Amino acid sequence: MDKTEGRRRTFFESGVWIAFWNILVKDMRTYYLKPPNISWGIIFPLAWTGMFFIRTGSSFSSLLSLLPGVVALSILFGTTSLLAVTITFEKKNRSFERLLLAPISLQRLLLAKTSGAILFGVVNAFLPLLMAAFIADLRAVNWAYLLAAVVLIATASTFLGLFIAVAVSEVFEAQTFSNFFRFPMIFLCGLFFPVSKLPPFLRPLSYVLPLTYGADILHGAVNAGNALPLWLDFLVLGTFCLGLFALSLQNVNRRWIK
Amino acid sequence: MLEKISLNSANNDAGSDDIIGVHDLYKCFGPVRAVDGISFSVRVGELFGFLGPNGAGKTTTINLLTGLARPDAGEIFLDGLDVRKSPSAARYLIGVVPDESNLYPELSGFDNLCFCAALYGLKKSERQGRARELLEFFGLSEAAGRKFGDYSKGMKRKLAIAAALIHQPRILFLDEPTTGLDVASARQIRKLIAGLNRTGTTIFLTTHYIEEAERLCQRIAFIVSGRIVRIDSLENLLKPLKGQYSLLISFSEEVREQAELQAKFRSAFPELGFELVNGRELRVRSAQPVAVGPLVRFFEEQGCEILEARRMHPSLEEVFVELTGIEAEQMRKEREKKERANG
């Protein structure tokens, strides 16, 4: 067995995880931990919360009803476009091609690329929670459900970003396409007012958007205000995650490895 | 699991000496047949050239061989591994330098190499050691900490080659490695390629620089419109030209009534072979030394002003022109066009 063969065997035994970890770390350093992105995670929930209080004249006691929506938005805005833009950027400058040439499977490569964004989304979610901890009583929060919801929302939003990245070829298209999904979600997914208060013709649309189910779990975890059974929320959100990943994988195979 | 199984099945099916084996490879993009039933093999330690004009199918072939594209039909074996069945295992064997640098502009040269090494599972100390070694070898040690995006074109190409070599691959694919480089950088890159091949690395090189293929490659395949028109060693390709005399006559303007002129030339000099190139140059060949005087007089009588008459050494360019019908001048123009487009 020569040197290359030996190294190759070692690679397929343990090296794939070195590759996985380094892709994740590089993305975190290069994209997600840059000051503009960190500040986005702080400024966005602050601005949204401030706007709400100014507009409604509500007191801080109503913060808990607002918190699930702000957490969900922080994740959605932190992950979807960032992943879509970074992957489109790497595809455009051909550095993504280098990853495709690496000896790791496409599934693992895409998981490595999305893991950084998922982590970033989770961290983003805890920034408004951290701020809320100073002004509201969070003892009634079911943290297990909240954490599960945060991870699932981050995963679904990231995979939505991946789906967008594969569908477009220019960075500006990635932004535009992200907004096409994100902005309707603010109003349709029950973040700040229940889906039941939407006009009846819009409600079916709410139930085909993954964030509706994530937001419902968050409402359940923060103030027991979930409208759907939690098991159904978890099931649908999990299915969205798997479906979006499978679809993106298929699209990468079809469009990028022609 | 598939990756592990395929490793066990690694053997050299393509033949004892062959490290690349390609059989009846086809690839279409819509109605265009980019690769049209090509077959060839590359031997261990060989520097194999793939020569053809733009759009001939060179990059598509590299993409098929490296797994960046999927063939419509045909088989590809790399060191005995079927690329379709074991893509990940096959990718471990190869290093690829694309026609445009694809490293990370925001990372330093050193970090780029370390990251590429990590993609092949090298541990941190190994990664750093190998990166330093390659930076030293390519004369980039001083620029190791600078961002890749700030490198010159020549430095970028060198680092791209270093990145492709980081895991000591068995086969190195180089796609137009000197395109867009200044003369000094191109010469340096060619020296490096020759040096790498001397150390035993098998190199698959695509180029549309005829001189580059002639200078570097041991065997060459001519590809035109997705088809290989000839594969042979440089020696065999040049053999028919040995003992031949060749003259290139340039006219001050394009020759009018070319068919008539050619007919007259044929009857005046029946012992000479000739081709009219681009309507402005005439390539004359003979088994005997060619006397220039009678030719000059002939063309003056025909009203064609001669700008220059040059004796030519037998070269791959002539073989290429004869086999493909594509003029070197046309290749040069395409090359210049591509270089302008690349900035």
Side-chain angles (χ1 to χ4, degrees), chain B residues 208-280:
Chain B
H208 52 199
Y209 290 86
I210 296 175
E211 324 82 74
E212 184 168 276
E214 186 171 356
R215 205 173 302 172
L216 289 172
C217 302
Q218 287 125 26
R219 276 199 315 141
I220 293 166
F222 292 138
I223 181 167
V224 181
S225 306
R227 285 168 182 244
I228 292 178
V229 291
R230 172 101 185 256
I231 305 179
D232 218 327
S233 65
L234 186 63
E235 200 188 344
N236 285 345
L237 287 168
L238 293 175
K239 209 178 265 175
L241 296 179
K242 276 192 180 159
Q244 276 216 0
Y245 296 86
S246 185
L247 193 72
L248 187 72
I249 298 169
S250 307
F251 302 107
S252 59
E253 57 186 41
E254 195 166 321
V255 175
R256 273 165 274 148
E257 291 161 9
Q258 294 178 8
E260 194 187 329
L261 181 83
Q262 288 182 63
K264 281 183 182 171
F265 187 88
R266 200 169 289 121
S267 65
F269 303 99
E271 73 284 6
L272 299 179
F274 70 94
E275 290 137 1
L276 195 58
V277 183
N278 290 331
R280 292 187 69 143

Side-chain angles (χ1 to χ4, degrees), chain B residues 132-207:
Chain B
R132 281 193 199 99
E133 195 183 302
L134 283 165
L135 285 164
E136 178 77 36
F137 179 78
F138 283 91
L140 293 169
S141 293
E142 282 182 19
R146 269 168 56 192
K147 280 188 177 176
F148 178 70
D150 296 337
Y151 278 23
S152 69
K153 270 189 179 176
M155 289 163 82
K156 279 183 178 168
R157 200 57 59 87
K158 280 193 210 167
L159 198 76
I161 299 176
L165 291 169
I166 198 86
H167 62 296
Q168 294 170 289
R170 287 209 177 126
I171 311 162
L172 181 64
F173 288 94
L174 295 163
D175 193 6
E176 312 263 3
T178 57
T179 300
L181 298 186
D182 59 72
V183 178
S185 301
R187 189 179 293 169
Q188 223 179 354
I189 296 286
R190 280 189 204 112
K191 259 189 187 172
L192 284 169
I193 293 169
L196 284 171
N197 180 240
R198 274 197 297 275
T199 61
T201 310
T202 306
I203 297 176
F204 183 97
L205 173 127
T206 75
T207 183

Side-chain angles (χ1 to χ4, degrees), chain A residues 111-141:
Chain A
L111 283 175
K113 286 302 283 180
T114 49
S115 295
I118 292 170
L119 275 177
F120 182 67
V122 171
V123 172
N124 257 7
F126 280 91
L127 291 173
L129 284 166
L130 194 69
M131 290 181 221
F134 289 104
I135 42 178
D137 183 1
L138 300 181
R139 277 178 297 180
V141 172

Side-chain angles (χ1 to χ4, degrees), chain B residues 34 44 54 71 98 112 123 133 206-207 246 291 330 338:
Chain B
V44 176
N54 282 341
N112 260 301
K123 293 188 179 119
E133 195 183 302
T206 75
T207 183
S246 185
Q330 188 187 329
K338 190 175 179 184

